């Protein structure tokens, strides 16, 4: 397994708005991630709205129980692409585990960066969907509109412009936050599990408040890499400090 992305991956991400990185995880890594997903999903009910999916289970606040997901969230080949898109400093946006159960219909089409009032040509986020199960057309693999990250405001995909992001378990779909997409219709008899992680520019408010969700003690227990992505990092000398200090230094020097 390569630690950095080849030039072709970056070209695909910039021109098509997405790239599928096939089979990044070893059998042991995938098995551990699946087992952890099952533990987190146990007892979780379906979402209560059409967008999240009324036959879809979601688990948030993952950094307080990151477990074997850590190697996925810090994967070097994925972050090579994110850094190329967003720069050296960025943070987690939304972060959640998803289980799309049989019978779940197609999600409304959207682009993730639509939560921000920014021009369409600003790359505010670059995201990843980790396939914990095979993504197939039958089980609702993510539908994407290739090249739609370059579309002007107001243009929406036609059904003929959508293709399923088919990939084997252990693969990752890295895509622009401007790319139009949606979870597909699961017509199979099995659940499709995925780990979804958004990465956003450091001066944006992330959709998920990881600092509050994880807590100070929880942040201290994280690895430095995860703390940085949780938002414990300076975006610049005067953006993101705590009491005039580097937040990492402040966190380690204080107690609750």
């Amino acid at each position: 397994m390569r630690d950095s992305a080849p030039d072709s991956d970056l070209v695909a991400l910039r021109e098509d708005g997405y790239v599928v990185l096939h089979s990044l995880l070893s059998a042991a890594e995938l098995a551990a991630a699946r087992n952890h997903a099952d533990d987190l999903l146990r007892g979780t009910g379906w979402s209560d709205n059409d967008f999240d999916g009324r036959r879809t289970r979601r688990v948030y606040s993952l950094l307080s129980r990151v477990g074997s997901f850590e190697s996925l969230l810090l994967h070097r080949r994925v972050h090579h692409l994110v850094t190329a898109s967003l720069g050296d400093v960025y943070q987690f946006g939304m972060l959640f585990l998803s289980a799309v159960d049989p019978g779940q219909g197609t999600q409304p089409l959207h682009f993730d960066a639509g939560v921000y009032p920014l021009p369409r040509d600003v790359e505010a986020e670059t995201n990843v969907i980790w396939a914990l199960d095979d993504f197939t057309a039958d089980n609702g693999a993510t539908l994407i509109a290739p090249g739609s990250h370059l579309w002007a405001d107001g243009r929406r995909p036609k059904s003929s412009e959508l293709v399923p992001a088919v990939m084997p378990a252990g693969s990752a779909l890295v895509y622009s936050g401007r790319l139009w997409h949606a979870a597909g219709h699961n017509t199979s008899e099995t659940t499709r599990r995925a780990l979804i992680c958004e990465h956003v520019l450091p001066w944006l408010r992330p959709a998920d408040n990881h600092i509050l969700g994880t807590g100070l003690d929880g942040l201290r227990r994280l690895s430095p890499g995860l703390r940085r992505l949780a938002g414990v990092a300076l975006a610049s000398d005067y953006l993101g400090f705590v009491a005039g200090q580097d937040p990492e230094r402040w966190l380690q020097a204080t107690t609750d």
Side-chain angles (χ1 to χ4, degrees):
M1 183 172 63
R2 291 169 293 184
D3 286 337
S4 61
D7 291 342
S8 59
D9 290 345
L10 185 55
V11 170
L13 179 60
R14 289 176 173 169
E15 294 184 355
D16 301 328
Y18 76 98
V19 62
V20 175
L21 307 179
H22 289 272
S23 304
L24 293 185
L25 301 181
S26 67
E29 289 172 323
L30 178 58
R34 284 171 160 172
N35 288 337
H36 188 48
D38 287 341
D39 288 342
L40 294 173
L41 287 164
R42 193 169 292 114
T44 301
W46 287 326
S47 300
D48 62 359
N49 63 85
D50 292 335
F51 185 84
D52 291 343
R54 296 185 185 275
R55 295 187 69 86
T56 295
R57 293 166 287 154
R58 288 189 172 197
V59 180
Y60 294 94
S61 298
L62 294 179
L63 291 179
S64 61
R65 42 193 172 163
V66 66
S68 58
F69 289 162
E70 179 165 359
S71 62
L72 283 66
L73 297 177
L74 295 176
H75 198 283
R76 297 173 84 178
R77 189 167 168 194
V78 169
H79 284 282
H80 174 89
L81 291 172
V82 179
T83 299
S85 297
L86 301 182
D88 290 333
V89 183
Y90 49 90
Q91 61 185 324
F92 287 141
M94 195 176 294
L95 175 62
F96 63 95
L97 172 66
S98 172
V100 179
D101 288 325
Q104 172 62 58
T106 303
Q107 185 184 37
L109 287 162
H110 63 285
F111 60 97
D112 295 337
V115 300
Y116 297 113
L118 292 169
R120 276 283 292 164
D121 61 351
V122 174
E123 182 70 359
E125 57 183 282
T126 304
N127 304 330
V128 58
I129 299 175
W130 283 96
L132 301 184
D133 296 295
D134 291 343
F135 271 42
T136 70
D138 289 340
N139 70 11
T142 304
L143 299 171
I144 56 177
S148 59
H149 64 308
L150 302 178
W151 292 358
D153 280 338
R155 180 178 172 183
R156 293 178 61 88
K158 302 174 183 177
S159 57
S160 60
E161 295 175 301
L162 298 172
V163 296
V166 173
M167 55 182 170
S171 302
L173 169 67
V174 182
Y175 63 100
S176 167
R178 296 176 288 158
L179 187 77
W180 282 93
H181 68 283
H185 183 189
N186 187 350
T187 61
S188 74
E189 297 181 355
T190 59
T191 295
R192 178 175 56 77
R193 295 164 296 176
L195 177 65
I196 292 89
C197 179
E198 298 177 352
H199 309 91
V200 303
L201 293 169
W203 46 267
L204 289 171
R205 181 175 182 174
D208 199 349
N209 192 319
H210 303 289
I211 300 297
L212 287 179
T214 309
L216 294 184
D217 281 343
L219 289 170
R220 293 187 185 100
R221 288 192 292 269
L222 294 178
S223 66
L226 284 180
R227 272 199 303 272
R228 179 181 176 86
L229 291 172
V232 183
L234 284 170
S236 68
D237 289 345
Y238 290 97
L239 183 57
F241 62 83
V242 181
Q245 301 178 54
D246 182 298
E248 177 73 22
R249 191 170 302 153
W250 178 90
L251 185 65
Q252 298 305 319
T254 59
T255 58
D256 291 346

